[in-house]
Amino acid sequence: MKIPYTTEIREDTGLYNGKVGMWLFLASEVMLFGALFSAYVLLRIGAREGEWPHGLLNIPIGAFNTLVLITSSMTVAMSWTALKMGNFSLYRKLQVVTLACAVLFLGVKAWEYSEKFHHYEIWLNEPLTAQEYPQLAGHSTDLNAPITSIIGHIDDAGSFATLASLQEQGKSTVEIHPDEFHYRLSAREQGQRRKAERAAGGAAATSHAQAGIPIDVSNIARLSAFVPKHSTFFAMYFTLTGLHALHVLGGVLAFAYILWPASKMWRQDPERYTNSIEVTGLFWHFVDLVWIFAFPVLYLL
Amino acid sequence: MASHELGFIRKYIFSVDHKVIGVQYLLTSLAFLFTGFMLMLVMRWQLANPGEPVPVVGGLLESLLGEPASEGKISADLYNSFGAMHGTIMIFMGIVPLVFGAFGNYLVPLQVGANDMAFPKLNMLSYDSYLVGGIIMLISFFIPGGAAQAGWTSYPPLATIIPTDGQTYWLVAMIFLITSSLLGAINVIVTVIQLRAPGLTWMRLPFFVWSQFVTAFLLLLAFPPMEAGAVLQLMDNVAGTSFYMPHGLVISGQPATELSGGGSPLLWQHLFWFLGHPEVYVLILPGLGIVTEVIANNTRKPIWGYRAMVYSVLSIGFLSMVVWAHHMYVTGMGMGISMFFQTTTTIISIPSVIIVTCLMLSLWGGSIRFNVPMLFAVSFLPMFGIGGLTGLPLALSMADLALHDSYYIIGHFHYVVAPGTIFAVFAGVYYWFPKVTGRLMNERLGQVHFWGSLLCMNLIFFPMLAQGFAGMGRRTYDGGQNYAAAHPANEGVIGAVSDTMMQLNDVIAWSALALAAFQLPFIFNFFYSVYAGRRVESDNPWQATTLEWQTPTPPPHGNFTQDIFVYRGPYAYSLNHPGSEASVGTVDELPDFEPQNQPLVAVTT
Amino acid sequence: MSEISTSPGALTAPASPSVATSKSAVISPSAATIQKIQRERKLYAAVYAVLLIGTVLTVAMYYVHFDAVWQMVAVALLIAATKAAFVVAVFMHLWHGQRDIYRIMFFTSIFVAALLGFLTYSLFSLPGSGHYLR
Ligand code: HEM
Ligand SMILES: [Cu+2]
C-alpha cells in the first residue's frame, strides 16, 4: 500500500505531505516558543525594580554562537541545492560542516553553562560599601552606597554550592572574589570607567585578579550560583536555551541519520531523499530563528 | 492487503493502520472514561455522606492507597486528588482521545477516501505517547503523597506547594499527552489537505471531517503554550525556580525564603486557559460532527444549512482562540481585558447557535428513524443547548463574579460534555459499530441505556445549577456541610446554603449510582455484539451516503477496493421525495440516497 | 433505471495522482533547473551576508547609548525581525508562493500576537510594574 503524495507534489496544493506536516509542526513550535517569549516579557516587565539581573551573560560567546548557527543554516540551504543538482558529494561536504557547526554550538553552550554554575551571588544581611572594600567599586557607582549583594567566585566552593551546603561543611567564613567588573555594570559604564581610570593614570582593574573579601557565613542571607534558582532571569535563560539546545540536538540526530544510515535512499529514491533534506532543513532554519530572537533578548536587553 | 502476512503483534499492538489505531484509542479511552467515572462515583457518595466510610469500595481503597483512605473514608487530601484526577482523566485521557483519537483516526481517512493517514508511523507514535502519558498519570495515585491535588487546572502557587510529587507526575504525563495530540493533529490536517480523493472538494466534505479538521487546528495551536507553561511549572517543581511564585509569598505563616521572587501566578492562568478554552471546543466540535452525520442519515434529509455550518465551525475555531481570559475575570487582570474577552465570548455563542439551529431545522419534515444512535443524537441537541445557554451568563464578567467557582460552573460544563459530548460518542459508537465489526448492537439494550442515561444525567447536573445559584462552592470535600452549618440560611447571609440545597447532594449521589447501573447494558451490549451481534446484510446497513460505507466490512488494510472518485456533496438524501429532481418514474423503486462516489445519474426531464 | 455515467474528466476535479512509476536512480537536472538553482544559491549567499551584518549590528547596538530602554528594545527586535524575515522567505522557501502555508502561518501569527499582547497588557494593570521600559 502506498500513500499518495509522499514524494510527488499534489497539484492543487503544490506541496508534498512531508512539507505540509513540517510546517504544521513549525506552527506549533511557533506557539511553543511564542508562549515562552511572552512569558519572558510578562515576567520581565512585571519584575520589581532591581530584581532582574542584567549583563551576567557572556556577550562575545553568545555572538559567536549566533554566527555558528547562521553558518549552519546557510550550509543546510546550500546542501539542498547540491542535491537538486544531483551532486551528492558536495551535499555531503556541506552537511558535515552543518553537523560540525551544530556540535560546536552545543559544546560552547555546555561550556557557558558550566561557567555559570560556579559564579556566585551572595546576598548580605549587613551591607558593605565600596569605601571599605575598593574591590567592590564596580558594584555601585556611589562609593558610599550600601551594597547588599556581591557577585563573584568563591574559593573552593565548586559548583552548585548553597548556604545550606556551606553550613554543612562547617565553614564560618567564605572568601568571595568580586567579579562585578564583567557583570554588574553595563558595557557602556564599563567603557567609561576604564577610560576614567586610564585618564587617572591607573591600570584598569581586571576582575579575576580581585582580592577576596572574607564574609561571615552568618552574614549571608542567601547564596546562589548562577543556576535556574538564582533568579527568574536565570530560570528563563536556562529554560529557553535548554529547550533550544534540545531542538539543536534533535536536528543533529536527524541530519546525521539522513546523512549516514539513510543515505542509501539517495540511490533508490533521490527525489524523496532531497525532500527529506528540505523538510529537516525547515526545522533547522526554525531553530536558527529562535536563536536569532533569543540572543538579543537574553544577552543584550 | 498485505495484512495477513503480519503477526498478531504487528497487526494489533504496533499497528500502523489507522483503523487499528482508532480501535486502540477507543478501547483505551473508554477504559479511562470508566476509571474517571468511578472516581467521581466515590466522591459523590462521600459528598452526600460526609464523614462516613464508603461502603463496598472503602476497604479496597484503604488497602490500595493506605493512610489517605483510612477507615475507608475519603480524606480531604484524597478528595482533592480524586477531583484533580477525575477532571484530568476525563478531559485529557478520556474525551479528547475518544472523539479525536478514536473517531478521528478511524473515520477521517475513510471519509476523505484515503487509504490511510498521511503519516502512519507518527500515528502509531501518537497512540504510544498517549498510553505512556496515561500510565504515568495512573501511577501517580500510588506514590507517597498521592496524585496531584490542585484540580485539573493546576493553579500555582497551590499546585507547587502541595507536598506531593503527584504534581510532577501530572506535568510529565501532560507533556506526553500533549505530544500525542500534536502528532495526531498534524496527521489529521495533512490527511485532509493532501489525501482527499479526486473530486472531493472542500464543500463536499462531510461535516464530521470539517469538525475534525478544525479540532486538529485547535489542538495544534492551543496546546503548545500550555506545554510551555507545564515546562515552567516543572522547573518550579524540580529546579526550585519561581516562575509562578509571587514575591513575598508566605506559606502557612512562613515566608518562602528560597524563592527568588518575581514570578506571576497570572502567567500560569493565561498559559493554561489559552489551551483550556480551545480545549472545551475540542471536546464539543467532534461531537457536533458525529451528531450531524447521524442526524442526516436518520432524517433521510440533506443537512439544512450545510454551508452555514461549515463557516460557523471555522469561526468557532478562530474565535475560541481569543476568548480564554473569560475564565479569569476574578483575577483582577484589568477592566480593559475583561471587556475584550467578554465581547469575544458573547460573539462566539453566535456560530454555536447557528450550528444547533441548523441541526434542529434539519429534523423538520423528515421521516425520522428513531434508532438508538438517533435517540442519542437528537437528545444531544437540547442538552448541548442547556450547556451553551448556561454559559452565556458566565460570559458577562459582572454575573461571573458571583457564579465563578460555584457548582453552577460544574453544571454548565457538564451539560456540554456529559449529556452533550458523551451522548454524541454513544451515538457514534452505535452508528459506526457495524462498520467496524460487521455486526449490529442490540436495539433493546440500547434503548434501556439511552433512556436511563438521559434521565440520570439530568438528575445529576440540573440540581448543580441550582446549588451554584444558591452559593455552593465547588471543590469542597464535605459538600459544603461545614460552610452551611457556619452560615445558617435563615440568617440571611448571602451565599448561605439551605438544607434543601444540601439534600440535593443525596439526589445527585443516587442518580450517579443509577447512571452507573445504566451503563451496564451498554458495556454488555458492546462486548456481546462484537461476537454475537446480528450480522449486517450489506456494507451499508444504514443506507448512508458518505465514503466510509463504500468499503468492505470491516475495511481491509488500505481501505478501498475500488478507485474513489467523488461526484457530489455528503448528504444526498430524500432523492425520491416528491418534487425532488431525481424523482422520476415510480418513486418507490429508486433508492432515496446516492453515495458520494456513485457516478451521476442522468436527469431526464 | 437508466444510468449514464459521465466520465470523471468531465468534472472540474484534480486529476488523479500521477505516480511516477519509473524510479530513476539519479537526479539529472534540466538546464532550466540548473539555472534556477544557481540563482537560488546566489540568493542564499546574499541572505547569509545579511544575517552576518545583522548579528554585527545587534552586538554593536549594545555599545550605543539609548535614552530609554524601550528604544533599545525596539531596535534590537527590528534587527531580529529583519533577519527572521530573510530566513523565512529565502532559506525556508516561503518566497515561492505557497498558499496553504501562508494561511496556516497567518493564523498562527495572529494567535501568537494575541498571546503576547494580552500577557503584556494584563500586567500593566498591576500596580508597580513596567518600570523596565521607562
Ligand atoms: C457556547 C457558549 C459558551 C460560553 C459563553 C461559555 C462560557 C464559559 C465561561 C465564561 C466559563 C468560566 C466560568 C468561570 O470559571 O467563572 C466557562 C467555564 C467552562 N466551560 Fe463554558 N462556555 C460555553 C460553552 C462551553 C462548551 C461548548 C464547553 C465544553 C465542551 C464548555 C466547557 C466549560 C468548562 C469545562 C468550564 C469550566 C472550567 C473550570 O473552571 O474548570 N463551555 N464557560
Ligand atoms: Cu471557556
Side-chain angles (χ1 to χ4, degrees):
Chain A
M1 188 188 83
K2 188 184 167 302
I3 291 164
Y5 311 116
T6 38
T7 315
E8 68 287 1
I9 283 172
R10 181 174 164 124
E11 224 168 286
D12 58 346
T13 58
L15 299 164
Y16 55 90
N17 296 347
K19 200 162 173 177
V20 188
M22 181 48 83
W23 271 105
L24 288 167
F25 178 67
L26 291 187
S28 87
E29 292 277 272
V30 168
M31 297 306 296
L32 180 77
F33 282 99
L36 284 171
F37 278 109
S38 306
Y40 174 90
V41 172
L42 182 146
L43 293 168
R44 177 73 187 89
I45 294 179
R48 302 185 317 171
E49 200 110 39
E51 253 176 22
W52 200 268
H54 181 256
L56 298 188
L57 300 177
N58 193 331
I59 295 170
I61 287 291
F64 172 74
N65 249 354
T66 311
L67 296 181
V68 169
L69 217 50
I70 289 175
T71 307
S72 74
S73 236
M74 188 271 292
T75 53
V76 168
M78 288 290 185
S79 77
W80 174 74
T81 63
L83 287 182
K84 273 281 184 200
M85 303 280 255
N87 187 344
F88 190 80
S89 70
L90 176 61
Y91 151 81
R92 181 176 301 169
K93 278 181 209 127
L94 286 166
Q95 277 305 69
V96 168
V97 176
T98 307
L99 286 173
C101 283
V103 172
L104 181 62
F105 178 91
L106 288 176
V108 170
K109 202 81 230 156
W111 176 81
E112 244 188 307
Y113 274 19
S114 71
E115 180 80 342
K116 292 285 158 293
F117 294 153
H118 59 260
H119 271 73
Y120 284 90
E121 179 158 7
I122 292 181
W123 288 264
L124 303 167
N125 292 325
E126 302 282 324
L128 305 173
T129 62
Q131 197 76 47
E132 302 165 65
Y133 294 100
Q135 306 98 298
L136 290 177
H139 271 79
S140 154
T141 39
D142 174 4
L143 290 186
N144 290 314
I147 291 167
T148 50
S149 81
I150 303 175
I151 291 171
H153 297 264
I154 298 178
D155 282 341
D156 61 74
S159 303
F160 304 116
T162 61
L163 185 52
S165 75
L166 289 184
Q167 281 163 345
E168 246 164 61
Q169 290 168 26
K171 290 205 167 130
S172 57
T173 57
V174 292
E175 189 148 294
I176 181 157
H177 301 267
D179 199 17
E180 81 290 332
F181 203 69
H182 277 141
Y183 288 133
R184 225 348 119 65
L185 298 179
S186 74
R188 199 167 144 266
E189 285 168 322
Q190 285 181 39
Q192 280 170 348
R193 166 147 314 174
R194 221 172 278 139
K195 222 194 245 158
E197 280 174 18
R198 232 175 274 124
T206 54
S207 58
H208 288 258
Q210 301 263 36
I213 301 176
I215 308 267
D216 278 347
V217 169
S218 59
N219 190 26
I220 299 179
R222 180 168 179 241
L223 175 149
S224 173
F226 291 176
V227 292
K229 213 174 168 168
H230 171 272
S231 57
T232 302
F233 166 73
F234 271 117
M236 206 69 222
Y237 165 77
F238 281 109
T239 314
L240 250 178
T241 55
L243 219 54
H244 178 261
L246 280 183
H247 279 74
V248 174
L249 191 64
V252 169
L253 294 180
F255 278 139
Y257 177 77
I258 298 172
L259 183 57
W260 290 300
S263 65
K264 52 183 180 299
M265 193 207 287
W266 171 252
R267 266 163 280 124
Q268 292 149 1
D269 196 347
E271 292 286 352
R272 190 155 169 218
Y273 191 77
T274 313
N275 286 348
S276 73
I277 280 294
E278 187 183 14
V279 166
T280 322
L282 284 175
F283 174 74
W284 192 254
H285 300 313
F286 175 79
V287 173
D288 185 20
L289 263 182
V290 171
W291 187 255
I292 287 181
F293 281 100
F295 171 60
V297 167
L298 292 172
Y299 284 70
L300 302 178
L301 295 183
Chain B
M1 285 167 193
S3 60
H4 57 269
E5 296 159 17
L6 300 174
F8 177 84
I9 301 258
R10 288 280 306 282
K11 197 169 166 197
Y12 294 111
I13 310 291
F14 293 109
S15 174
V16 291
D17 185 328
H18 72 102
K19 298 180 294 297
V20 179
I21 297 175
V23 173
Q24 287 174 334
Y25 260 119
L26 180 81
L27 296 178
T28 321
S29 55
L30 280 177
F32 280 136
L33 215 57
F34 187 74
T35 317
F37 182 54
M38 284 301 135
L39 289 178
M40 193 34 91
L41 208 55
V42 174
M43 291 165 70
R44 282 315 322 187
W45 193 91
Q46 191 72 77
L47 284 177
N49 308 279
E52 288 172 39
V54 185
V56 190
V57 290
L60 181 69
L61 284 175
E62 187 174 3
S63 56
L64 275 177
L65 304 172
E67 165 64 21
S70 61
E71 299 173 42
K73 292 179 201 162
I74 307 297
S75 66
D77 282 346
L78 191 59
Y79 183 86
N80 288 343
S81 276
F82 277 17
M85 295 311 267
H86 165 76
T88 307
I89 291 177
M90 285 304 204
I91 289 182
F92 296 110
M93 292 150 66
I95 306 268
V96 175
L98 187 54
V99 292
F100 186 70
F103 281 92
N105 240 316
Y106 200 96
L107 293 169
V108 167
L110 286 170
Q111 289 200 335
V112 301
N115 52 7
D116 205 321
M117 283 281 196
F119 309 113
K121 282 199 192 110
L122 275 194
N123 206 6
M124 179 182 87
L125 224 62
S126 157
Y127 174 76
D128 293 346
S129 175
Y130 160 60
L131 195 64
V132 171
I135 289 173
I136 295 179
M137 205 65 100
L138 289 189
I139 288 177
S140 75
F141 272 111
F142 303 103
I143 63 169
Q149 294 180 12
W152 78 286
T153 52
S154 283
Y155 280 7
L158 182 65
T160 312
I161 63 177
I162 291 179
T164 163
D165 288 336
Q167 190 63 27
T168 309
Y169 279 69
W170 189 90
L171 291 163
V172 173
M174 280 308 289
I175 289 173
F176 277 100
L177 295 176
I178 292 173
T179 308
S180 152
S181 299
L182 284 180
L183 296 178
I186 291 174
N187 234 330
V188 164
I189 298 174
V190 177
T191 305
V192 174
I193 292 182
Q194 291 283 97
L195 301 189
R196 275 171 295 128
L200 188 54
T201 56
W202 286 98
M203 280 300 159
R204 287 176 179 176
L205 285 178
F207 185 71
F208 177 80
V209 175
W210 273 110
S211 71
Q212 291 283 339
F213 187 65
V214 174
T215 303
F217 267 106
L218 294 182
L219 290 171
L220 185 78
L221 300 180
F223 267 58
M226 150 80 175
E227 192 166 21
V231 169
L232 298 188
Q233 199 179 98
L234 202 61
M235 291 290 285
D236 275 6
N237 270 348
V238 300
T241 60
S242 47
F243 286 113
Y244 300 126
M245 310 301 254
H247 192 95
L249 182 69
V250 173
I251 302 165
S252 326
Q254 295 291 317
T257 43
E258 266 297 280
L259 293 179
S260 45
S264 164
L266 196 61
L267 174 60
W268 169 262
Q269 297 203 15
H270 271 302
L271 295 178
F272 181 85
W273 287 114
F274 189 88
L275 151 94
H277 188 85
E279 172 75 16
V280 306
Y281 280 92
V282 169
L283 301 176
I284 195 68
L285 292 182
L288 285 168
I290 294 172
V291 165
T292 307
E293 299 301 302
V294 175
I295 285 185
N297 177 262
N298 287 305
T299 53
R300 317 298 302 160
K301 276 179 62 200
I303 285 294
W304 193 90
Y306 168 79
R307 266 171 187 274
M309 285 176 67
V310 169
Y311 291 128
S312 296
V313 82
L314 289 173
S315 357
I316 288 184
F318 178 79
L319 285 169
S320 71
M321 301 287 287
V322 288
V323 298
W324 77 87
H326 65 212
H327 295 266
M328 300 161 57
Y329 289 141
V330 297
T331 57
M333 61 190 168
M335 279 285 284
I337 299 199
S338 288
M339 288 264 279
F340 175 88
F341 281 99
Q342 169 169 324
T343 312
T344 49
T345 308
T346 335
I347 294 175
I348 201 177
S349 49
I350 297 173
S352 316
V353 169
I354 292 179
I355 291 182
V356 176
T357 310
C358 287
L359 290 175
M360 291 271 189
L361 288 177
S362 300
L363 299 175
W364 185 258
S367 55
I368 302 177
R369 297 191 302 216
F370 277 112
N371 47 25
V372 177
M374 188 59 172
L375 286 175
F376 276 109
V378 171
S379 65
F380 169 93
L381 297 177
M383 295 297 107
F384 175 67
I386 295 179
L389 289 177
T390 50
L392 274 180
L394 301 176
L396 311 174
S397 63
M398 282 307 282
D400 184 65
L401 291 185
L403 294 170
H404 180 71
D405 265 353
S406 74
Y407 259 97
Y408 182 86
I409 306 292
I410 312 285
H412 154 65
F413 71 77
H414 279 90
Y415 258 106
V416 199
V417 275
T421 303
I422 292 189
F423 272 20
V425 166
F426 284 139
V429 170
Y430 283 101
Y431 181 66
W432 278 294
F433 193 86
K435 175 67 2 185
V436 181
T437 62
R439 294 171 189 271
L440 291 155
M441 286 176 80
N442 183 298
E443 274 286 303
R444 189 139 310 151
L445 285 174
Q447 299 260 0
V448 175
H449 175 214
F450 167 72
W451 289 107
S453 300
L454 182 65
L455 182 71
C456 294
M457 287 277 192
N458 281 286
L459 283 177
I460 294 172
F461 297 119
F462 209 83
M464 292 190 188
L465 295 173
Q467 287 180 323
F469 265 130
M472 187 186 286
R474 66 194 283 198
R475 293 180 180 163
T476 49
Y477 82 105
D478 62 353
Q481 201 193 37
N482 286 326
Y483 182 81
H487 305 281
N490 52 16
E491 283 177 18
V493 181
I494 293 177
V497 184
S498 68
D499 286 348
T500 328
M501 289 302 151
M502 293 300 295
Q503 280 153 11
L504 284 177
N505 280 345
D506 291 316
V507 177
I508 296 174
W510 285 108
S511 306
L513 201 63
L515 182 63
F518 279 117
Q519 302 317 300
L520 297 179
F522 171 71
I523 296 171
F524 173 76
N525 198 351
F526 188 91
F527 290 107
Y528 176 79
S529 303
V530 172
Y531 297 104
R534 191 159 55 82
R535 268 185 195 288
V536 290
E537 276 126 34
S538 78
D539 287 334
N540 189 357
W542 308 114
Q543 300 175 300
T545 51
T546 41
L547 292 176
E548 77 270 30
W549 302 100
Q550 315 307 321
T551 63
T553 307
H557 191 55
N559 295 345
F560 296 93
T561 44
Q562 78 267 42
D563 280 342
I564 293 290
F565 192 92
V566 173
Y567 295 87
R568 59 180 68 72
Y571 307 115
Y573 290 112
S574 288
L575 296 179
N576 55 359
H577 188 269
S580 111
E581 277 183 71
S583 79
V584 283
T586 46
V587 167
D588 292 340
E589 279 175 19
L590 281 168
D592 73 336
F593 72 103
E594 275 173 354
Q596 285 189 277
N597 63 338
Q598 181 175 306
L600 297 179
V601 176
V603 179
T604 40
T605 39
Chain C
M1 195 161 78
S2 63
E3 191 178 273
I4 307 160
S5 62
T6 48
S7 83
L11 288 161
T12 49
S16 57
S18 59
V19 179
T21 40
S22 68
K23 283 234 173 93
S24 61
V26 281
I27 287 188
S28 38
S30 64
T33 316
I34 293 179
Q35 214 179 18
K36 212 184 98 203
I37 294 291
Q38 267 159 357
R39 232 182 304 128
E40 201 92 334
R41 280 183 177 166
K42 285 206 194 94
L43 212 53
Y44 293 167
V47 170
Y48 183 51
V50 171
L51 294 178
L52 292 183
I53 296 171
T55 309
V56 172
L57 281 183
T58 309
V59 178
M61 174 206 73
Y62 190 63
Y63 298 92
V64 175
H65 176 71
F66 289 93
D67 283 333
V69 175
W70 70 264
Q71 293 170 345
M72 181 159 165
V73 174
V75 173
L77 291 186
L78 202 71
I79 299 173
T82 314
K83 287 162 83 180
F86 276 101
V87 171
V88 172
V90 180
F91 282 175
M92 297 172 89
H93 304 167
L94 265 205
W95 197 244
H96 318 285
Q98 299 185 340
R99 201 192 49 213
D100 293 85
I101 293 173
Y102 289 161
R103 285 187 189 152
I104 295 169
M105 295 321 279
F106 173 71
F107 285 106
T108 307
S109 36
I110 291 185
F111 299 140
V112 173
L115 191 62
L116 180 66
F118 284 112
L119 254 62
T120 316
Y121 184 42
S122 70
L123 246 217
F124 277 114
S125 60
L126 296 181
S129 59
H131 65 85
Y132 164 60
L133 293 181
R134 286 194 279 273

